[in-house]
PDB file of all heavy atoms in Angstrom:
ATOM      1  N   ALA L 392     113.117  97.993 112.194  1.00  0.00           N
ATOM      2  CA  ALA L 392     114.339  97.876 111.396  1.00  0.00           C
ATOM      3  C   ALA L 392     114.403  98.864 110.243  1.00  0.00           C
ATOM      4  O   ALA L 392     115.471  99.073 109.655  1.00  0.00           O
ATOM      5  CB  ALA L 392     114.456  96.452 110.855  1.00  0.00           C
ATOM      6  N   LEU L 393     113.279  99.479 109.888  1.00  0.00           N
ATOM      7  CA  LEU L 393     113.212 100.333 108.701  1.00  0.00           C
ATOM      8  C   LEU L 393     114.278 101.420 108.697  1.00  0.00           C
ATOM      9  O   LEU L 393     115.077 101.531 107.757  1.00  0.00           O
ATOM     10  CB  LEU L 393     111.815 100.963 108.623  1.00  0.00           C
ATOM     11  CG  LEU L 393     111.657 102.186 107.708  1.00  0.00           C
ATOM     12  CD1 LEU L 393     111.896 101.786 106.260  1.00  0.00           C
ATOM     13  CD2 LEU L 393     110.296 102.812 107.901  1.00  0.00           C
ATOM     14  N   TRP L 394     114.287 102.260 109.739  1.00  0.00           N
ATOM     15  CA  TRP L 394     115.203 103.404 109.744  1.00  0.00           C
ATOM     16  C   TRP L 394     116.646 102.943 109.872  1.00  0.00           C
ATOM     17  O   TRP L 394     117.556 103.570 109.319  1.00  0.00           O
ATOM     18  CB  TRP L 394     114.842 104.350 110.892  1.00  0.00           C
ATOM     19  CG  TRP L 394     113.420 104.789 110.850  1.00  0.00           C
ATOM     20  CD1 TRP L 394     112.431 104.482 111.744  1.00  0.00           C
ATOM     21  CD2 TRP L 394     112.789 105.593 109.846  1.00  0.00           C
ATOM     22  NE1 TRP L 394     111.243 105.045 111.360  1.00  0.00           N
ATOM     23  CE2 TRP L 394     111.427 105.732 110.198  1.00  0.00           C
ATOM     24  CE3 TRP L 394     113.253 106.209 108.679  1.00  0.00           C
ATOM     25  CZ2 TRP L 394     110.529 106.470 109.430  1.00  0.00           C
ATOM     26  CZ3 TRP L 394     112.348 106.936 107.918  1.00  0.00           C
ATOM     27  CH2 TRP L 394     111.017 107.065 108.297  1.00  0.00           C
ATOM     28  N   LEU L 395     116.857 101.850 110.578  1.00  0.00           N
ATOM     29  CA  LEU L 395     118.210 101.328 110.759  1.00  0.00           C
ATOM     30  C   LEU L 395     118.785 100.823 109.436  1.00  0.00           C
ATOM     31  O   LEU L 395     119.887 101.206 109.029  1.00  0.00           O
ATOM     32  CB  LEU L 395     118.195 100.213 111.804  1.00  0.00           C
ATOM     33  CG  LEU L 395     119.490  99.424 112.003  1.00  0.00           C
ATOM     34  CD1 LEU L 395     120.633 100.345 112.379  1.00  0.00           C
ATOM     35  CD2 LEU L 395     119.276  98.350 113.067  1.00  0.00           C
ATOM     36  N   VAL L 396     118.060  99.953 108.761  1.00  0.00           N
ATOM     37  CA  VAL L 396     118.546  99.399 107.489  1.00  0.00           C
ATOM     38  C   VAL L 396     118.759 100.510 106.473  1.00  0.00           C
ATOM     39  O   VAL L 396     119.783 100.538 105.763  1.00  0.00           O
ATOM     40  CB  VAL L 396     117.558  98.344 106.956  1.00  0.00           C
ATOM     41  CG1 VAL L 396     117.954  97.889 105.549  1.00  0.00           C
ATOM     42  CG2 VAL L 396     117.513  97.135 107.894  1.00  0.00           C
ATOM     43  N   GLY L 397     117.816 101.455 106.396  1.00  0.00           N
ATOM     44  CA  GLY L 397     117.967 102.551 105.444  1.00  0.00           C
ATOM     45  C   GLY L 397     119.210 103.382 105.693  1.00  0.00           C
ATOM     46  O   GLY L 397     119.850 103.850 104.743  1.00  0.00           O
ATOM     47  N   ALA L 398     119.564 103.583 106.958  1.00  0.00           N
ATOM     48  CA  ALA L 398     120.739 104.391 107.291  1.00  0.00           C
ATOM     49  C   ALA L 398     122.050 103.648 107.077  1.00  0.00           C
ATOM     50  O   ALA L 398     123.107 104.269 107.005  1.00  0.00           O
ATOM     51  CB  ALA L 398     120.646 104.855 108.744  1.00  0.00           C
ATOM     52  N   GLU L 399     121.986 102.318 106.953  1.00  0.00           N
ATOM     53  CA  GLU L 399     123.207 101.515 106.865  1.00  0.00           C
ATOM     54  C   GLU L 399     123.644 101.183 105.446  1.00  0.00           C
ATOM     55  O   GLU L 399     124.836 101.011 105.186  1.00  0.00           O
ATOM     56  CB  GLU L 399     123.013 100.189 107.613  1.00  0.00           C
ATOM     57  CG  GLU L 399     122.885 100.317 109.112  1.00  0.00           C
ATOM     58  CD  GLU L 399     122.629  98.975 109.774  1.00  0.00           C
ATOM     59  OE1 GLU L 399     121.877  98.159 109.210  1.00  0.00           O
ATOM     60  OE2 GLU L 399     123.178  98.741 110.858  1.00  0.00           O
ATOM     61  N   ILE L 400     122.727 101.050 104.517  1.00  0.00           N
ATOM     62  CA  ILE L 400     123.026 100.325 103.284  1.00  0.00           C
ATOM     63  C   ILE L 400     123.586 101.179 102.151  1.00  0.00           C
ATOM     64  O   ILE L 400     124.128 100.625 101.184  1.00  0.00           O
ATOM     65  CB  ILE L 400     121.773  99.582 102.773  1.00  0.00           C
ATOM     66  CG1 ILE L 400     120.608 100.557 102.576  1.00  0.00           C
ATOM     67  CG2 ILE L 400     121.390  98.466 103.737  1.00  0.00           C
ATOM     68  CD1 ILE L 400     119.336  99.899 102.042  1.00  0.00           C
ATOM     69  N   PHE L 401     123.518 102.508 102.260  1.00  0.00           N
ATOM     70  CA  PHE L 401     123.960 103.342 101.138  1.00  0.00           C
ATOM     71  C   PHE L 401     125.425 103.758 101.298  1.00  0.00           C
ATOM     72  O   PHE L 401     125.905 103.971 102.415  1.00  0.00           O
ATOM     73  CB  PHE L 401     123.089 104.593 101.015  1.00  0.00           C
ATOM     74  CG  PHE L 401     121.682 104.298 100.603  1.00  0.00           C
ATOM     75  CD1 PHE L 401     120.658 104.284 101.535  1.00  0.00           C
ATOM     76  CD2 PHE L 401     121.376 104.026  99.284  1.00  0.00           C
ATOM     77  CE1 PHE L 401     119.353 104.005 101.163  1.00  0.00           C
ATOM     78  CE2 PHE L 401     120.069 103.738  98.892  1.00  0.00           C
ATOM     79  CZ  PHE L 401     119.057 103.732  99.832  1.00  0.00           C
ATOM     80  N   PRO L 402     126.142 103.913 100.180  1.00  0.00           N
ATOM     81  CA  PRO L 402     127.514 104.436 100.241  1.00  0.00           C
ATOM     82  C   PRO L 402     127.538 105.843 100.831  1.00  0.00           C
ATOM     83  O   PRO L 402     126.571 106.605 100.705  1.00  0.00           O
ATOM     84  CB  PRO L 402     127.953 104.456  98.766  1.00  0.00           C
ATOM     85  CG  PRO L 402     127.062 103.485  98.074  1.00  0.00           C
ATOM     86  CD  PRO L 402     125.757 103.543  98.803  1.00  0.00           C
ATOM     87  N   LEU L 403     128.657 106.197 101.463  1.00  0.00           N
ATOM     88  CA  LEU L 403     128.783 107.498 102.122  1.00  0.00           C
ATOM     89  C   LEU L 403     128.513 108.644 101.150  1.00  0.00           C
ATOM     90  O   LEU L 403     127.855 109.622 101.505  1.00  0.00           O
ATOM     91  CB  LEU L 403     130.181 107.638 102.725  1.00  0.00           C
ATOM     92  CG  LEU L 403     130.524 108.986 103.363  1.00  0.00           C
ATOM     93  CD1 LEU L 403     129.568 109.302 104.510  1.00  0.00           C
ATOM     94  CD2 LEU L 403     131.976 108.982 103.855  1.00  0.00           C
ATOM     95  N   SER L 404     128.989 108.518  99.908  1.00  0.00           N
ATOM     96  CA  SER L 404     128.888 109.625  98.954  1.00  0.00           C
ATOM     97  C   SER L 404     127.447 109.963  98.583  1.00  0.00           C
ATOM     98  O   SER L 404     127.163 111.083  98.142  1.00  0.00           O
ATOM     99  CB  SER L 404     129.678 109.296  97.677  1.00  0.00           C
ATOM    100  OG  SER L 404     129.147 108.141  97.048  1.00  0.00           O
ATOM    101  N   VAL L 405     126.530 109.016  98.765  1.00  0.00           N
ATOM    102  CA  VAL L 405     125.115 109.277  98.434  1.00  0.00           C
ATOM    103  C   VAL L 405     124.197 108.893  99.586  1.00  0.00           C
ATOM    104  O   VAL L 405     122.997 108.680  99.384  1.00  0.00           O
ATOM    105  CB  VAL L 405     124.688 108.519  97.144  1.00  0.00           C
ATOM    106  CG1 VAL L 405     125.373 109.091  95.926  1.00  0.00           C
ATOM    107  CG2 VAL L 405     124.945 107.020  97.273  1.00  0.00           C
ATOM    108  N   ARG L 406     124.734 108.828 100.800  1.00  0.00           N
ATOM    109  CA  ARG L 406     123.924 108.366 101.935  1.00  0.00           C
ATOM    110  C   ARG L 406     122.754 109.308 102.219  1.00  0.00           C
ATOM    111  O   ARG L 406     121.630 108.866 102.472  1.00  0.00           O
ATOM    112  CB  ARG L 406     124.792 108.187 103.177  1.00  0.00           C
ATOM    113  CG  ARG L 406     124.062 107.525 104.342  1.00  0.00           C
ATOM    114  CD  ARG L 406     125.041 107.067 105.408  1.00  0.00           C
ATOM    115  NE  ARG L 406     125.881 106.003 104.892  1.00  0.00           N
ATOM    116  CZ  ARG L 406     127.172 105.852 105.213  1.00  0.00           C
ATOM    117  NH1 ARG L 406     127.758 106.716 106.029  1.00  0.00           N
ATOM    118  NH2 ARG L 406     127.867 104.866 104.700  1.00  0.00           N
ATOM    119  N   GLY L 407     123.018 110.618 102.186  1.00  0.00           N
ATOM    120  CA  GLY L 407     121.940 111.571 102.429  1.00  0.00           C
ATOM    121  C   GLY L 407     120.857 111.474 101.368  1.00  0.00           C
ATOM    122  O   GLY L 407     119.665 111.447 101.681  1.00  0.00           O
TER     123      GLY L 407
END
Side-chain angles (χ1 to χ4, degrees):
L393 163 65
W394 305 113
L395 173 58
V396 173
E399 292 177 321
I400 56 179
F401 292 101
L403 175 60
S404 61
V405 291
R406 188 166 294 144

